[in-house]
Amino acid sequence: MEKVRVVISGFGNVGRGVVASLKRNTDMELAGILSRNPARVKKEVSDVPVMDVNDSDAWLAALKPDVVILCGGSKNDLPEWGPKMAKLVNTVDSFDNHSQVPEYFKAINEAANSSGHVSVISTGWDPGIFSLERVLANAFIPGARAYGFYGLGEKGGLSMGHSDALRTIKGVKDARQYTHAIPEAIDEIRDGKNPAFQPGDMHTRECFVVAEDGADKDEIVKAIKEMPGYFAPYKTNVTFVSQQELDTKYAGFPHDGLAIAAGTTGDNNSARVEYRCVWGSNPEATANVLVAHARAVARLAKEGKKGAMTILDIPPSYFSTLDREELLKHWI
Amino acid sequence: MEKVRVVISGFGNVGRGVVASLKRNTDMELAGILSRNPARVKKEVSDVPVMDVNDSDAWLAALKPDVVILCGGSKNDLPEWGPKMAKLVNTVDSFDNHSQVPEYFKAINEAANSSGHVSVISTGWDPGIFSLERVLANAFIPGARAYGFYGLGEKGGLSMGHSDALRTIKGVKDARQYTHAIPEAIDEIRDGKNPAFQPGDMHTRECFVVAEDGADKDEIVKAIKEMPGYFAPYKTNVTFVSQQELDTKYAGFPHDGLAIAAGTTGDNNSARVEYRCVWGSNPEATANVLVAHARAVARLAKEGKKGAMTILDIPPSYFSTLDREELLKHWI
């Protein structure tokens, strides 16, 4: 069987995760990497072609991708590059700016439909697996609200987006933000109370900040706690640490989450479902889910499908390497 | 919008659960109930037509079902009635005899394809949701084994199939069987050991038995512990109780389960996913999942799809009442 030719566009933590994931998915192969700065990537990668993402005629001809996994950021990269790429190739991305998903879907759908490609947007573990679990929970327990919690373990979960937000504050040299779930909030849901939570009822935020020399620490704390959306709605704790402490005690990208819903069935019998995931590396977990979606995209494209899709639009067997016979025999 | 007309075939605990579930799914309506013994069902149900399942010309004309939910047993009812029904109407069932799924799928697929109907087989929470979660876990964490555990709570989970098996033993008047997960086995998986378990490594079985007057209790215990498949592979505990004790202390149909898989991503970072469900009523939970699949079947049939399917073949959005716009806006 011919392997699915996967190309990575954008080489950060998720892109590195995709490289690693493809080594464990032997029905696929890494055909090359695209970057705005190929020279930088070439320092790290020597066994596959690294090409300039802007030179699409060249990389389309040389790499012949079945699917391109877009590993750029949701804030600036994907809104620009998502639709551009969907005009050229089949794509998968992890666009995670929840409030802008409808608009992004529309732009990608137009591009993919006009060019006859398949583009799966907004997948990973959240959005992605958690989106799926929330929708299933709501379908199987009608009336149950579905909630997402993050950082249930002792150390909490590292939020890349919130860490980036901290680094934009004047006087902040470096920073990492850990999200903590509020256990009492989870208990309320498990008790079947189906509560209408505000964001601040579910999570607290813990910030480890390296201040620049001479920076006004009180001003930094104030700027963090008042930052709308990111920190203002939450109980937020700020601790100043040295760069060395940040690099050693708060290394890595651990994250974890819980999608949960509870309600009743029939004659008021309790019903509860919980999807829990614990990842040693958040970007690698996202990469693994992206790669499984790349497999699905290659199949859907072969069937002549086109347009934008989410995880909700794909039959789950498309993610699997196992054929129907094997699935029916051992997995149902 | 016109409501999906659902007919129930077979009126036991799951059938009753479907009646209750349809009341909470307002896009569907109960059009009628089919039984081999309509007189018995009519004693309990007065607000919808109850008809003889053998009189298919009559009920097809009178009830005009979009979907029939088959609530018969997997041992005798479904192998006979599943293919028969798939020739007449779109169907959903919870066939749960795992080893015979391939054969059953083939029979239903032939019937449904020849008549142009859609038939979803083997759905509920296991098989069904758990099948889906196992396949997703294996796709997202390649190489990770996916396990199913049942009865994690203190009381364990009531197994209908094993209770029925106990009642076939000479001298047993009534009985209920509770399955208990072995916590140490779950710990091994969480520790990332990816163990190759035998069934007896994962669960123990607890039997509450009402003996007939004068029955040989030692013989009953021996017959239970030696029953192949059901009890022989497990550590099994048998307690004799009075009928009154059974009816009061061991009433209801509670059940719960855990689908779990753990492995690594990228550079050996741990990765673990767990799907947990806790049901006050096992048959009502199964019914709720069947009803969501009936919604999907009605849609798939409208699109001109045909043949047998499992939960793995259906885009998850088809289970939901929410339209694409709402899903993109609030659920991704």
Side-chain angles (χ1 to χ4, degrees), chain B:
Chain B
M1 214 181 71
E2 250 178 81
K3 294 192 175 195
V4 175
R5 292 178 62 81
V6 177
V7 164
I8 295 167
S9 179
F11 199 68
N13 291 317
V14 174
R16 286 185 193 94
V18 171
V19 173
S21 179
L22 287 171
K23 290 181 185 152
R24 294 168 183 241
N25 285 276
T26 52
D27 59 326
M28 299 195 251
E29 62 184 340
L30 178 60
I33 298 172
L34 307 176
S35 171
R36 276 171 296 202
N37 186 350
R40 175 184 70 83
V41 180
K42 278 179 186 167
K43 282 182 197 157
E44 200 176 320
V45 177
S46 58
D47 55 347
V48 293
V50 179
M51 300 182 74
D52 189 328
V53 67
N54 286 296
D55 198 359
S56 58
D57 287 347
W59 61 255
L60 279 169
L63 306 183
K64 298 179 185 65
D66 293 312
V67 192
V68 176
I69 300 181
L70 307 178
C71 300
S74 299
K75 203 173 170 200
N76 301 314
D77 292 340
L78 290 175
E80 181 193 344
W81 280 96
K84 261 194 217 177
M85 286 297 217
K87 280 196 185 133
L88 302 173
V89 287
N90 304 307
T91 64
V92 182
D93 71 54
S94 60
F95 184 79
D96 66 356
N97 194 331
H98 289 261
S99 69
Q100 282 164 39
V101 165
E103 192 186 332
Y104 185 69
F105 183 92
K106 190 163 172 275
I108 296 280
N109 196 39
E110 281 168 12
N113 265 322
S114 71
S115 61
H117 292 110
V118 175
S119 289
V120 173
I121 69 156
S122 298
T123 200
W125 66 273
D126 190 4
I129 307 178
F130 270 35
S131 319
L132 169 63
E133 297 293 347
R134 286 188 289 254
V135 170
L136 291 181
N138 180 265
F140 298 150
I141 313 176
R145 287 195 178 94
Y147 307 82
F149 287 90
Y150 312 93
L152 283 77
E154 204 186 326
K155 289 193 74 171
L158 180 78
S159 167
M160 303 295 294
H162 286 77
S163 299
D164 289 343
L166 290 175
R167 290 190 204 103
T168 65
I169 292 171
K170 196 178 156 235
V172 172
K173 191 180 157 204
D174 200 356
R176 305 201 113 199
Q177 196 272 173
Y178 290 80
T179 303
H180 293 274
I182 298 176
E184 293 77 11
I186 298 173
D187 290 342
E188 271 193 60
I189 298 164
R190 286 184 178 149
D191 286 349
K193 293 185 185 148
N194 208 28
F197 283 135
Q198 296 301 309
D201 299 331
M202 297 169 67
H203 295 97
T204 60
R205 301 202 172 274
E206 190 178 18
C207 310
F208 297 99
V209 176
V210 183
E212 283 170 358
D213 287 345
D216 183 334
K217 290 185 178 175
D218 289 345
E219 278 300 310
I220 290 174
V221 171
K222 190 166 177 287
I224 293 172
K225 294 199 173 185
E226 289 177 355
M227 193 185 284
Y230 283 90
F231 296 104
Y234 301 91
K235 185 176 165 232
T236 299
N237 201 39
V238 182
T239 307
F240 289 94
V241 296
S242 68
Q243 184 73 53
Q244 197 206 355
E245 204 176 347
L246 192 77
D247 293 344
T248 51
K249 278 170 82 173
Y250 306 103
F253 303 96
H255 216 325
D256 67 282
L258 174 74
I260 178 172
T264 56
T265 61
D267 193 18
N268 223 24
N269 286 298
S270 64
R272 172 160 59 88
V273 296
E274 302 190 6
Y275 181 88
R276 176 102 174 89
C277 57
V278 185
W279 310 112
S281 165
N282 183 4
E284 286 177 3
T286 300
N288 266 26
V289 181
L290 288 169
V291 166
H293 280 73
R295 173 181 297 123
V297 164
R299 289 183 187 172
L300 291 162
K302 230 179 206 171
E303 291 174 7
K305 301 284 195 306
K306 61 179 184 172
M309 299 182 192
T310 71
I311 192 172
L312 303 175
D313 303 310
I314 302 172
S317 64
Y318 282 55
F319 299 125
S320 175
T321 54
L322 308 169
D323 64 17
R324 164 160 280 168
E325 197 182 343
E326 172 70 12
L327 289 171
L328 289 173
K329 204 167 170 184
H330 295 298
W331 293 79
I332 292 295

Side-chain angles (χ1 to χ4, degrees), chain A residues 203 262 292:
Chain A
H203 295 97

Side-chain angles (χ1 to χ4, degrees), chain A residues 131 133 265 270 274 276 280 332, chain B residues 131 133 270 274 276 280 332:
Chain A
S131 318
E133 298 293 346
T265 61
S270 63
E274 302 190 5
R276 176 102 174 89
I332 292 293
Chain B
S131 319
E133 297 293 347
S270 64
E274 302 190 6
R276 176 102 174 89
I332 292 295

